Amino acid sequence: MKYWQPEIETMPRKELEALQLERLKFMLITAQNSPFYKKLFAEKGVEPNKVKSLEDLRLLPFTSKDDLRENYPFGMVAIPLRECVRLHSSSGTTGNPTVVLHSRKDLDEWANQVARCMYMVGIRDYDVFQNTSGYGMFTGGLGFQYGAEKLGCLTVPAAAGNSKRQIKFITDFGTTCLHIIPSYATRLAEVMYAENIDPRKDTKLHTLCIGAEPHSEEQRQRIEQLLGVRAFNCFGMSEMNGPGVAFECTEQNGLHIWEDYTIVEIINPETLEPVADGEVGELVLTTINRQAMPLIRYHTRDLTSIIPGKCPCGRTHKRISRFKGRSDDMLILKGVNIFPIQIERVLMMFQELGSNYLITVENIDNNDEMLIEVELNDLFTDDYAVLQNLTKNIVRQLKDELLITPKLKLVSKGSLPIHEGKAVRVKDLRIF
Ligand code: COA
Ligand code: AMP
Ligand code: ZN
């Protein structure tokens, strides 16, 4: 069989839209049980029973990441906490992180969504699926774990890091499929070749699910050639559960977004008005099948477009294009989301430091690296041992905040560039 859920995946558009409307109406009624939406609906005069068509969605207010932060930890939850069985949270110790809660049904639906994606690209129950995503709070860990288990794969929760161990698992367990972020896929291939393992001959790898960070078609092709596999783009975000929101089919021409779970809009980020199919804008998503934490018109900040026309694979769910960037300053490094403000908050805790800093992100020998240069306060010492100790201390705090280990360079006051009176904060030299 070609589809995991043929009746849903190939549902005629009219029926699919009728299903969306029914689910949207139900979601709006239940969303009022969350303190956040209750207040928002009252303030904006939203009456769920006035929503009569999918077009009426445009009359509803947007939800942003700041709303999640301001309502931390449980202000967005629409069911009693005792009915919630899982919580995922973003990184960060200095500001409020975002939190997403799930009911048991939410987790079952999410696993189904991921299984549907994996089945779509030819992964079956006889496959050995190794997940190199971070577990714990990273949704790519448990998200793929439950999806792969639902599909019936022999699932290896290898988690992130330790390339030699990953390779041992791949060869010893006969791993056929990997979930891996694109930048790490090239790093892993490099370590394999250095170990005299040719992944194309010496492993059983055939399919990769790659996502969680921007990457180009050229990068995909390079990964496919290096590892002798087909690699499929997967999109997810924690606020929308995690992986499984949209996924490429075997046509490798756009990601099908599962519209029985999510309503997709693409808007002009400035006017907030919808853009035409084919035009790039901000992706805005509404959950229509989630109990614990419904989100209405969520600003993802990701820039993409709807690919017009039907997909030859027969699925009727819309396709979105490879991401073109973001409308905010979030960086993704080693699969970890980083806002420059997080770095600033840590640096500003140290009285020894001045206020000018520069973040450079670069791919060095197949590793994405972050270098933070920060000016010292002009009154501070030039004693080497003291500076070394300070560096160590700052890096430790940064690692706690960011979950990656940056390189840190302390420089003298006035040595970093200033442009038009405003410091240039981030230089991203990676090519996507
Ligand atoms: N996934 C898996 N392993 C990764 C990775 C990634 N995205 N990025 C780097 N690594 C590997 C490195 O290659 C290194 O292993 P090796 O030296 O044996 O080859 C090891 O992890 C440590 O990397 P390093 O760069 O020294 O450490 P760090 O402290 O800066 O980063 C990580 C630590 C990699 C564990 C952290 O960035 C992480 O957990 N990333 C995964 C996030 C994730 O899963 N996101 C997906 C969400 S869907
Ligand atoms: P997280 O909430 O940690 O899962 O991160 C979600 C963000 O990662 C998204 O909003 C995107 O910016 C980015 N992302 C996830 N998947 C992809 C992908 N396939 N291509 C490009 N960016 C992605
Ligand atoms: Zn398709």
Side-chain angles (χ1 to χ4, degrees):
M1 199 168 49
K2 206 172 149 194
Y3 308 105
W4 173 252
Q5 287 174 296
E7 68 295 350
I8 300 274
E9 292 172 54
T10 62
M11 190 179 264
R13 290 284 325 161
K14 251 198 165 151
E15 276 176 46
L16 184 55
E17 282 161 20
L19 175 68
Q20 286 190 307
L21 181 59
E22 184 193 317
R23 288 188 173 176
L24 172 65
K25 286 178 175 173
F26 182 72
M27 181 276 282
L28 289 174
I29 290 163
T30 54
Q32 296 175 101
N33 297 328
S34 98
F36 169 73
Y37 282 118
K38 188 174 181 192
K39 186 160 165 268
L40 189 70
F41 283 11
E43 275 168 15
K44 305 270 180 194
V46 175
E47 292 177 45
N49 55 15
K50 288 213 170 136
V51 171
K52 304 279 185 220
S53 71
L54 287 179
E55 284 66 46
D56 290 345
L57 181 67
R58 288 196 206 141
L59 307 173
L60 301 174
F62 290 96
T63 308
S64 69
K65 206 186 246 305
D66 281 343
D67 292 325
L68 266 67
R69 290 193 179 119
E70 283 158 20
N71 290 279
Y72 173 84
F74 303 136
M76 310 287 297
V77 182
I79 59 172
L81 270 189
R82 62 179 297 180
E83 289 171 27
C84 296
V85 296
R86 171 107 62 86
L87 176 156
H88 281 278
S89 166
S90 62
S91 61
T93 55
T94 59
N96 271 355
T98 55
V99 160
V100 178
L101 284 94
H102 304 274
S103 69
R104 188 168 300 286
K105 176 173 178 291
D106 292 339
L107 292 184
D108 289 344
E109 295 284 3
W110 180 16
N112 182 63
Q113 225 174 329
V114 175
R116 195 193 282 173
C117 295
M118 294 173 64
Y119 195 93
M120 178 162 71
V121 297
I123 302 174
R124 297 291 182 267
D125 58 3
Y126 45 75
D127 276 304
V128 181
F129 182 85
Q130 185 166 325
N131 189 2
T132 71
S133 205
Y135 274 65
M137 290 298 183
F138 290 113
T139 55
L142 292 177
F144 263 102
Q145 181 73 28
Y146 279 66
E149 286 177 3
K150 184 160 186 92
L151 186 53
C153 298
L154 173 57
T155 312
V156 184
N162 200 337
S163 302
K164 286 190 183 160
R165 187 160 158 265
Q166 299 280 0
I167 295 165
K168 184 169 169 54
F169 288 167
I170 291 171
T171 49
D172 290 1
F173 304 150
T175 299
T176 55
C177 310
L178 288 176
H179 170 230
I180 187 160
I181 73 162
S183 57
Y184 185 54
T186 40
R187 158 84 186 146
L188 193 64
E190 179 189 61
V191 182
M192 281 193 194
Y193 284 104
E195 298 280 301
N196 282 325
I197 293 171
D198 181 343
R200 293 163 303 185
K201 293 197 216 110
D202 305 330
T203 75
K204 293 186 177 161
L205 287 174
H206 59 68
T207 302
L208 262 54
C209 304
I210 55 170
E213 66 179 9
H215 57 285
S216 61
E217 182 55 33
E218 291 69 28
Q219 217 172 330
R220 181 238 292 276
Q221 284 172 12
R222 185 155 172 254
I223 291 167
E224 291 189 328
Q225 280 158 15
L226 279 171
L227 292 165
V229 295
R230 284 192 84 193
F232 298 94
N233 193 350
C234 73
F235 162 63
M237 72 186 316
S238 312
E239 297 92 317
M240 293 288 137
N241 292 349
V245 179
F247 216 92
E248 268 181 341
C249 64
T250 49
E251 298 294 320
Q252 291 185 316
N253 181 21
L255 296 84
H256 286 285
I257 185 152
W258 299 122
E259 293 181 84
D260 55 325
Y261 286 99
T262 316
I263 299 182
V264 55
E265 296 174 86
I266 310 279
I267 62 161
N268 178 317
E270 269 135 46
T271 63
L272 306 183
E273 290 301 318
V275 302
D277 285 2
E279 250 177 67
V280 174
E282 186 194 341
L283 180 70
V284 168
L285 298 174
T286 298
T287 64
I288 48 171
N289 199 17
R290 197 159 74 176
Q291 291 180 324
M293 216 174 113
L295 289 178
I296 300 166
R297 308 192 79 198
Y298 185 71
H299 275 295
T300 66
R301 298 292 190 170
D302 289 310
L303 302 176
T304 181
S305 59
I306 298 280
I307 298 181
K310 286 185 186 162
C311 184
C313 78
R315 290 177 183 80
T316 49
H317 298 239
K318 287 180 184 164
R319 283 169 299 160
I320 52 174
S321 63
R322 184 182 290 289
F323 286 7
K324 310 281 186 287
R326 289 185 56 90
S327 66
D328 63 7
D329 60 354
M330 187 179 96
L331 297 165
I332 305 179
L333 193 77
K334 302 179 197 181
V336 183
N337 301 346
I338 296 167
F339 288 93
I341 185 74
Q342 291 178 276
I343 296 171
E344 179 166 310
R345 283 205 201 105
V346 172
L347 298 179
M348 294 312 124
M349 291 186 320
F350 290 85
Q351 287 175 359
E352 299 89 336
L353 302 179
S355 54
N356 200 10
Y357 63 91
L358 177 65
I359 302 164
T360 307
V361 183
E362 213 172 344
N363 187 279
I364 302 170
D365 298 335
N366 281 321
N367 269 325
D368 280 356
E369 301 287 356
M370 174 182 278
L371 169 69
I372 303 170
E373 292 168 276
V374 56
E375 289 182 4
L376 285 161
N377 185 328
D378 55 356
L379 299 175
F380 195 60
T381 177
D382 54 6
D383 181 320
Y384 179 73
V386 175
L387 289 175
Q388 213 181 16
N389 210 22
L390 176 65
T391 304
K392 240 184 175 168
N393 196 1
I394 301 171
V395 169
R396 194 175 317 120
Q397 302 269 0
L398 284 165
K399 166 110 202 222
D400 284 350
E401 173 66 27
L402 307 175
L403 307 178
I404 58 131
T405 320
K407 290 194 179 119
L408 183 80
K409 198 168 157 196
L410 302 177
V411 298
S412 55
K413 192 173 160 80
S415 55
L416 293 176
I418 309 270
H419 281 265
E420 293 165 9
K422 199 171 171 247
V424 175
R425 299 297 190 200
V426 183
K427 273 202 297 186
D428 194 340
L429 306 176
R430 292 173 298 178
I431 300 160
F432 297 116

